[in-house]
Amino acid sequence: MAGLWVGEAALVTAGRRGRRWPQPLSRGAALWTLKHVPRYSRQHLVVSRSLCSAGYDSNEKTFDKILVANRGEIACRVIKTCKKMGIKTVAIHSDVDASSVHVKMADEAVCVGPAPTSKSYLNMDAIMEAIKKTGAQAVHPGYGFLSENKEFAKCLAAEDVIFIGPDTHAIQAMGDKIESKLLAKNAKVNTIPGFDGVVKDADEAVRIAREIGYPVMIKASAGGGGKGMRIAWDDEETRDGFRFSSQEAASSFGDDRLLIEKFIDNPRHIEVQVLGDKHGNALWLNERECSIQRRNQKVVEEAPSLFLDSETRRAMGEQAVALARAVNYSSAGTVEFLVDSKKNFYFLEMNTRLQDPYKSFGLPSIGRLSQYQEPIHLPGVRVDSGIQPGSDISIYYDPMISKLITYGSDRREALKRMEDALDNYVIRGVTHNIALLREVIINSRFVKGDINTKFLSDVYPDGFKGHQLTETERNQLLAIASSLFVASQLRAHHFQESENSRVPIVKPQVANWELSVKLHDEVYTVVASNSGPTFSVEVDESKLNVTSTWNLASPLLSVNVDGTPRMIQCLSREAGGNMSIQFLGTVYKMRILTKLAAELNKFMLEKAAEDTSSILRSPMPGVVVAVSVKPGDLVAEGQEICVIEAMKMQNSMTAGKTGKVKSVHCKAGDTVGEGDLLVELE
């Protein structure tokens, strides 16, 4: 597919200061979570390939060594491309990233500081020292971190080191949302109404918001990836939004300047990729729809958009090119637009690199990947990641595990391949958003293309709770789980017999296994019997035949239920009957007991549930940014108690009831884990 080419031919040649160093074309591959390439899109990409790759001569001089000023999957992709071109690479890393995949892949690696990004991946002095130490001739910044920092680009230029990306003028113009909006207006690009200056403080933010009219969007001038962005519907939310956005912006980008503009309710988020060269040429490569978002961060991306007609697509592309030419853009970049229901579109921002941030809908998770297996054995599947089994997902960085891409001859095929890829993806040790992604792509609204940036909150107003089983699916799950239970019991007896145990073994003379299966809060009676690899299961007055190899050591188990193929994952099986199965993307916890064990279990006492209204526990691992109360304070229900920062996003923790503070168990700067006690109320 031509879409994969962009990342593989990331460097072409151009001159600078009389030296024949190559000039970068792209900062990474054109990737999205869900992609299908129809005929018109494939043709456009093929044409752009011939235009852009014509300038590369394999006999012409390339860099000898490039320093990659990033981490994770983007660093890995850059290093892979450099290896293909015979270019040596230098990885930088924080102390906690010393064993990361990108560090192992590079020819050299330099530690640039401790875990916090401000002291490592944003530490320009340490990175410049690493460049001098290793003799790197160029720096590839990836996306995020210093990729849009004009001061970093200036520092490199002063040392005669090539910055792989646009020049400092374009970074200044497009990396600053305030300046880019003014430039867009001058280039006759449609823009959102709003305040074009820098907001000084919370009081001015309220005044400006009132003038524009609620709702408004408060966002970091130097930001991106959803960080430093808040929607405000009234004065109080504007003050809170100003505080959180400025703090997040300072933490993520080292720049706390904010702007305010009118919030367009229920829009679509569609972006256009552009390419420019040093000779004044610029072109656009069609669009990606990024409307499925969580907290302004993209969850699913699709190309092309079902919503756009050819006229609107062309108009958006032409305006994107006009903006690129207005700043003499000479690299790969992304121009983002908001599109309303009438296909009116407005410039949002231009990113001076290719992007595709990917976040989960829910709280971020940290931990160590105890097991990890990508579904790259399936056709039409690509996975870009920077992790491996044993890798740590830490609180300091983006919690992204990978970018999963599927493509096909049409949309239906791409969707089916995504569904299969998600079912075949093995991730153990951390929680993930596979269940959400799978539900999104099979949702009737998504399938019809009826989406906007509020899709997740509209479809899941009470939060995402996993796949809701139909009666048929529920019976399939009960039958599969019961078959697994019996298969494991039979295997255990077979193992004991083969070991010639001194303990007398009672052979199970059981034709039918009568089981009690608890799923959610319901208990079902199930009867299972087997004949070779096939189990006959009676559940809820239905009889199902379940066939599999029953390889209980495999992380993936292919099961056939009455002719319907299912891919499941048995995540855990305990001696007490508890079992967790990933089925249709969602993890279901069940308890399976024999009829006798179920009768005896009635006499077991259950642990009393904790009264959560009087205590506040951290819902995620992170760092305490601020604590707003002390023992003896009276607090109202919903009042802010403290602020937790996790993965560079700040989260306000509030009181669950009105009461007096009994004790405070944390202070600003503390690192807390999921479930740690923060505050107690009387």
Side-chain angles (χ1 to χ4, degrees):
M1 281 291 181
L4 303 185
W5 160 81
V6 181
E8 294 174 351
L11 304 176
V12 296
T13 58
R16 179 179 182 274
R17 293 184 181 176
R19 297 172 63 179
R20 302 214 54 167
W21 293 128
Q23 174 65 24
L25 166 67
S26 164
R27 294 199 179 169
L31 302 176
W32 34 85
T33 304
L34 175 64
K35 163 184 120 177
H36 66 98
V37 184
R39 183 172 299 171
Y40 79 87
S41 180
R42 187 183 293 116
Q43 289 172 339
H44 281 205
L45 284 170
V46 169
V47 170
S48 70
R49 173 177 180 174
S50 63
L51 288 174
C52 298
S53 63
Y56 176 67
D57 182 353
S58 59
N59 296 318
E60 196 163 6
K61 182 176 175 60
T62 62
F63 295 117
D64 296 319
K65 186 183 294 186
I66 292 175
L67 182 141
V68 183
N70 216 297
R71 66 181 301 277
E73 59 85 25
I74 182 59
C76 291
R77 279 196 282 150
V78 173
I79 294 171
K80 286 178 183 177
T81 300
C82 288
K83 285 182 180 296
K84 290 179 181 179
M85 299 184 70
I87 301 172
K88 293 183 178 179
T89 54
V90 179
I92 62 167
H93 63 89
S94 65
D95 53 6
V96 298
D97 270 349
S99 299
S100 294
V101 174
H102 79 282
V103 174
K104 295 177 180 178
M105 288 178 61
D107 297 293
E108 300 176 59
V110 179
C111 181
V112 290
T117 55
S118 61
K119 298 179 180 179
S120 52
Y121 294 101
L122 292 176
N123 187 344
M124 286 190 280
D125 291 339
I127 295 173
M128 292 302 298
E129 184 61 32
I131 294 169
K132 295 176 183 177
K133 177 181 178 181
T134 59
Q137 300 153 323
V139 171
H140 196 307
Y143 55 72
F145 292 137
L146 297 172
S147 66
E148 298 181 32
N149 189 303
K150 66 179 186 299
E151 295 303 323
F152 182 55
K154 288 179 180 178
C155 288
L156 294 175
E159 296 295 329
D160 207 22
V161 176
I162 304 297
F163 179 75
I164 299 184
D167 57 31
T168 55
H169 169 69
I171 295 176
Q172 167 68 29
M174 292 295 101
D176 188 303
K177 289 184 173 63
I178 297 172
E179 185 172 347
S180 64
K181 189 173 180 180
L182 294 174
L183 280 166
K185 284 184 177 180
N186 293 333
K188 309 300 182 185
V189 176
N190 304 342
T191 59
I192 301 172
F195 179 68
D196 296 331
V198 178
V199 183
K200 298 177 182 177
D201 53 38
D203 290 336
E204 185 178 40
V206 169
R207 178 182 61 77
I208 293 170
R210 289 175 178 175
E211 292 175 356
I212 295 173
Y214 288 110
V216 297
M217 172 70 81
I218 304 169
K219 57 186 181 181
S221 175
K227 299 179 182 67
M229 297 178 69
R230 291 291 190 282
I231 299 168
W233 295 81
D234 54 38
D235 291 355
E236 182 179 356
E237 290 186 359
T238 298
R239 293 184 184 280
D240 288 343
F242 180 89
R243 176 163 65 99
F244 286 125
S245 292
S246 59
Q247 290 173 352
E248 285 178 4
S251 174
S252 297
F253 315 111
D255 185 342
D256 63 358
R257 293 176 302 141
L258 302 177
L259 60 85
I260 298 179
E261 60 189 19
K262 181 69 177 177
F263 173 65
I264 299 177
D265 202 12
N266 297 324
R268 289 173 177 259
H269 186 141
I270 299 176
E271 40 187 58
V272 177
Q273 183 179 315
V274 295
L275 294 174
D277 63 19
K278 291 289 188 181
H279 308 287
N281 299 308
L283 54 86
W284 56 281
L285 301 177
N286 292 315
E287 80 287 347
R288 301 187 293 268
E289 172 128 10
C290 316
S291 297
I292 308 298
Q293 302 182 358
R294 179 250 181 189
R295 294 180 71 173
N296 302 304
Q297 297 167 338
K298 301 156 197 172
V299 176
V300 175
E301 299 186 40
E302 178 175 4
S305 168
L306 289 183
F307 184 66
L308 296 187
D309 53 44
S310 58
E311 182 179 349
T312 307
R313 178 177 291 111
R314 183 175 61 255
M316 292 175 68
E318 289 173 351
Q319 288 200 15
V321 167
L323 184 60
R325 284 179 172 151
V327 293
N328 298 318
Y329 198 74
S330 59
S331 187
T334 305
V335 181
E336 301 186 9
F337 294 94
L338 290 182
V339 185
D340 66 20
S341 59
K342 297 181 180 180
K343 293 187 172 66
N344 297 310
F345 60 90
Y346 306 92
F347 169 68
L348 184 61
E349 65 182 39
M350 181 175 183
N351 297 293
T352 55
R353 74 276 192 249
L354 299 177
Q355 67 165 55
D356 43 4
Y358 175 92
K359 297 284 198 282
S360 63
F361 180 53
L363 298 175
S365 169
I366 69 166
R368 177 164 293 177
L369 288 166
S370 57
Q371 199 166 6
Y372 182 73
Q373 183 175 308
E374 298 174 346
I376 53 177
H377 62 285
L378 300 177
V381 174
R382 170 174 168 172
V383 180
D384 286 320
S385 67
I387 56 175
Q388 61 187 5
S391 292
D392 288 315
I393 308 296
S394 81
I395 66 173
Y396 298 104
Y397 312 115
D398 193 318
M400 185 183 74
I401 293 173
S402 70
K403 295 172 185 173
L404 174 62
I405 308 100
T406 63
Y407 49 91
S409 58
D410 56 27
R411 189 171 190 261
R412 179 177 297 181
E413 184 176 51
L415 283 169
K416 182 62 173 67
R417 286 177 170 177
M418 177 61 74
E419 188 178 334
D420 291 341
L422 291 168
D423 285 342
N424 281 268
Y425 211 139
V426 177
I427 304 171
R428 309 280 174 86
V430 297
T431 57
H432 49 74
N433 63 341
I434 283 179
L436 172 69
L437 295 175
R438 198 182 190 283
E439 286 302 294
V440 168
I441 65 171
I442 66 172
N443 183 274
S444 59
R445 278 186 54 184
F446 181 84
V447 172
K448 291 186 295 185
D450 178 20
I451 61 176
N452 55 49
T453 56
K454 294 178 65 178
F455 176 89
L456 291 180
S457 58
D458 288 345
V459 175
Y460 310 108
D462 299 321
F464 179 66
K465 297 180 176 17
H467 180 70
Q468 304 302 303
L469 295 168
T470 64
E471 182 178 344
T472 299
E473 292 169 344
R474 181 203 66 196
N475 288 345
Q476 287 182 348
L477 175 59
L478 292 172
I480 292 170
S482 299
S483 300
L484 266 173
F485 175 83
V486 175
S488 65
Q489 294 294 310
L490 292 174
R491 189 182 73 164
H493 286 295
H494 177 73
F495 176 77
Q496 289 173 334
E497 290 176 349
S498 64
E499 288 296 305
N500 297 319
S501 173
R502 295 180 180 179
V503 180
I505 301 297
V506 179
K507 297 182 179 180
Q509 303 295 329
V510 181
N512 296 313
W513 293 71
E514 294 186 53
L515 306 174
S516 174
V517 184
K518 184 176 182 180
L519 173 64
H520 299 138
D521 292 324
E522 297 291 329
V523 177
Y524 302 87
T525 298
V526 178
V527 178
S529 61
N530 80 300
S531 176
T534 299
F535 284 83
S536 179
V537 184
E538 296 178 23
V539 53
D540 200 22
E541 299 183 353
S542 298
K543 189 171 184 179
L544 298 90
N545 293 311
V546 185
T547 304
S548 178
T549 60
W550 305 112
N551 180 1
L552 304 184
S554 174
L556 292 170
L557 192 62
S558 178
V559 179
N560 189 291
V561 185
D562 285 339
T564 301
R566 298 292 190 191
M567 183 63 71
I568 70 158
Q569 299 183 38
C570 184
L571 305 183
S572 65
R573 289 180 292 112
E574 299 176 2
N578 292 324
M579 182 183 293
S580 293
I581 293 179
Q582 186 170 311
F583 175 71
L584 301 177
T586 295
V587 177
Y588 296 93
K589 295 182 178 181
M590 292 170 284
R591 186 181 64 195
I592 304 178
L593 300 172
T594 62
K595 183 178 180 181
L596 175 60
E599 290 294 326
L600 296 175
N601 191 65
K602 295 177 182 178
F603 300 100
M604 300 294 290
L605 297 177
E606 293 190 7
K607 182 180 179 180
E610 184 179 46
D611 178 13
T612 57
S613 64
S614 299
I615 60 173
L616 179 65
R617 294 187 181 277
S618 178
M620 71 199 81
V623 176
V624 179
V625 176
V627 178
S628 307
V629 298
K630 61 182 183 300
D633 286 354
L634 294 175
V635 296
E637 182 179 354
Q639 179 179 331
E640 181 178 289
I641 299 295
C642 63
V643 177
I644 305 291
E645 182 177 287
M647 284 81 172
K648 298 186 285 188
M649 298 292 287
Q650 295 195 357
N651 304 271
S652 176
M653 304 290 105
T654 59
K657 69 174 185 179
T658 299
K660 180 183 289 188
V661 177
K662 178 181 179 181
S663 58
V664 177
H665 299 270
C666 63
K667 64 181 183 301
D670 284 356
T671 298
V672 295
E674 181 179 350
D676 284 2
L677 182 61
L678 303 175
V679 175
E680 289 182 274
L681 302 181
E682 292 183 355

